[in-house]
Amino acid sequence: MISLDIKNAFNSIKWADLINLLQKYNTPSKLVKIFDSFLKDRSVILNNGDRWNYNIGVPQGSSCGPILWLQVANEALDLFLEQENFLVQAFADDFIILLKASASYRFTEMSKDIMLKFESWATKFNLVFSENKSKYIMFKVKKTITHFPGIYLYGKRISYTNELKYLGIVFDPNQSFMIHLDRIQEKIVRLNEKLRRITRATWGLRPEMVKEIYLSILERIILYGVEIWYKDRVKMNAKLLQIQRYPLLSITKAYRTTSNEALQILSGCVPIDLKAEMIVGMDSKIRGVALSDYTHLIDFEIEERIKPWEI
């Protein structure tokens, strides 16, 4: 998997190229004139008070900015036909190349034509790839990786990495995603420390407010992309519970020696490994994937009051 990074992508596109692409895709002439008027006669005021006129860059913050950029990105995607052994995908300015081969040394030859096409596309639209930030990773199938192929960009070999982050998910050669959870844990610890500054045992935010912050922000950070990386394994479930433990301590204001089970009961929060399993199961059902392992799922969004003790 090769990740390509474009230097200052949105600010490098020429307006003339955008107008030409609009005309190429048979955009109504009135819309072309509107976009032309929208782009031209733009200027910025520098710190010294001078006014600088410019004619490049996709206006960021506007609703049509991403659409204008996607026209340029589509020109790159159109260069590659669907084939069995490779796939090119893009999300905004993040391009990814997936290659498949029986041996790692084949990737060098397979990538040559692909990289040359990307270089040609970038030159045409006044874009430049970063050789330092562009990286690649290989996924193990059976054997340990011993040969690292040469993937070249602008004649320079891009580096191999054991951690490749794409769209917020960290991939590793084993596809275990434990490194991804390590990075999530580091982020949750930092955020939880900031949260603890305003919530203490005898003062600060009420537990209900801290719980709302956890459910609305922290839990969503932990479970981002869970459909991709979650595996019902003991090691992964233990790691998820370890990550969840930090905010639960802030909610309950309990001792650090309190067990995970007690923290979950006191806070009223669902064990995060069960919630991850539920989300993955629901996603599989939506996609039409039959998973017999997820027939026992419970909808944790429906809460019922516990009946009072009967004597």
Side-chain angles (χ1 to χ4, degrees):
M1 184 167 76
I2 307 171
S3 174
L4 298 178
D5 181 83
I6 304 175
K7 295 180 181 178
N8 207 18
F10 292 98
N11 295 326
S12 302
I13 300 296
K14 294 181 179 179
W15 294 345
D17 291 332
L18 294 175
I19 298 301
N20 291 335
L21 288 174
L22 288 171
Q23 294 172 342
K24 175 183 176 180
Y25 291 112
N26 298 320
T27 306
S29 58
K30 291 183 179 180
L31 282 178
V32 175
K33 291 180 180 179
I34 291 174
F35 277 111
D36 184 50
S37 175
F38 173 68
L39 292 172
K40 70 180 182 181
D41 297 330
R42 287 177 172 266
S43 62
V44 294
I45 299 177
L46 305 178
N47 290 333
N48 59 8
D50 295 339
R51 184 179 294 272
W52 178 63
N53 297 319
Y54 65 99
N55 60 355
I56 60 173
V58 176
Q60 298 188 48
S62 63
S63 58
C64 62
I67 298 175
L68 293 173
W69 163 257
L70 288 177
Q71 289 186 106
V72 180
N74 188 63
E75 291 293 297
L77 297 177
D78 282 345
L79 297 174
F80 307 99
L81 300 175
E82 290 188 12
Q83 295 189 21
E84 183 180 357
N85 294 328
F86 81 85
L87 176 68
V88 178
Q89 289 189 332
F91 184 88
D93 62 334
D94 295 319
F95 284 88
I96 203 82
I97 305 168
L98 299 174
L99 300 175
K100 178 183 178 182
S102 57
S104 58
Y105 68 86
R106 299 182 186 274
F107 291 136
T108 301
E109 189 64 31
M110 292 175 64
S111 64
K112 281 183 180 179
D113 184 57
I114 298 173
M115 302 303 280
L116 287 174
K117 286 183 178 180
F118 266 113
E119 291 174 17
S120 176
W121 166 80
T123 303
K124 179 180 178 181
F125 291 102
N126 195 40
L127 299 172
V128 179
F129 288 106
S130 172
E131 303 99 319
N132 296 327
K133 293 184 179 180
S134 297
K135 300 181 182 297
Y136 77 97
I137 188 173
M138 292 190 295
F139 302 118
K140 294 193 295 185
V141 180
K142 293 182 180 179
K143 299 180 180 179
T144 303
I145 299 173
T146 56
H147 177 267
F148 298 93
I151 310 295
Y152 294 90
L153 184 63
Y154 299 125
K156 296 182 180 179
R157 186 168 181 167
I158 63 176
S159 59
Y160 175 83
T161 180
N162 285 319
E163 299 179 30
L164 183 58
K165 187 175 183 180
Y166 184 67
L167 300 182
I169 297 179
V170 180
F171 293 86
D172 61 273
N174 297 319
Q175 299 187 66
S176 66
F177 295 102
M178 293 304 295
I179 297 178
H180 171 74
L181 290 180
D182 288 338
R183 301 296 167 263
I184 292 296
Q185 182 177 13
E186 293 170 1
K187 187 173 184 179
I188 293 298
V189 168
R190 290 195 302 269
L191 293 174
N192 189 65
E193 285 302 316
K194 293 180 180 179
L195 184 61
R196 287 181 63 84
R197 295 175 188 173
I198 55 175
T199 173
R200 293 294 182 179
T202 57
W203 58 270
L205 294 178
R206 290 179 291 127
E208 296 83 358
M209 298 178 66
V210 181
K211 181 180 178 180
E212 188 63 30
I213 292 173
Y214 163 71
L215 294 175
S216 303
I217 301 174
L218 301 182
E219 187 179 74
R220 296 187 182 186
I221 292 175
I222 299 171
L223 296 177
Y224 170 76
V226 67
E227 300 88 348
I228 304 297
W229 53 260
Y230 179 72
K231 299 175 183 177
D232 189 12
R233 302 287 187 271
V234 173
K235 188 175 181 180
M236 179 168 283
N237 289 337
K239 187 69 173 180
L240 284 170
L241 292 173
Q242 182 184 2
I243 297 172
Q244 186 190 33
R245 180 178 176 84
Y246 299 106
L248 293 192
L249 284 170
S250 297
I251 295 171
T252 59
K253 302 182 180 182
Y255 291 108
R256 292 183 179 273
T257 54
T258 309
S259 66
N260 287 337
E261 292 79 5
L263 290 173
Q264 291 157 5
I265 293 172
L266 291 172
S267 64
C269 294
V270 179
I272 199 164
D273 59 327
L274 297 183
K275 199 155 192 178
E277 185 179 354
M278 180 194 70
I279 294 173
V280 172
M282 291 177 62
D283 178 72
S284 300
K285 290 181 179 179
I286 292 172
R287 295 173 183 269
V289 180
L291 290 179
S292 58
D293 296 337
Y294 295 102
T295 56
H296 60 285
L297 293 175
I298 303 172
D299 187 358
F300 290 110
E301 300 302 324
I302 301 177
E303 296 184 0
E304 296 182 0
R305 290 185 177 274
I306 299 176
K307 295 181 180 180
W309 291 100
E310 296 181 0
I311 301 176

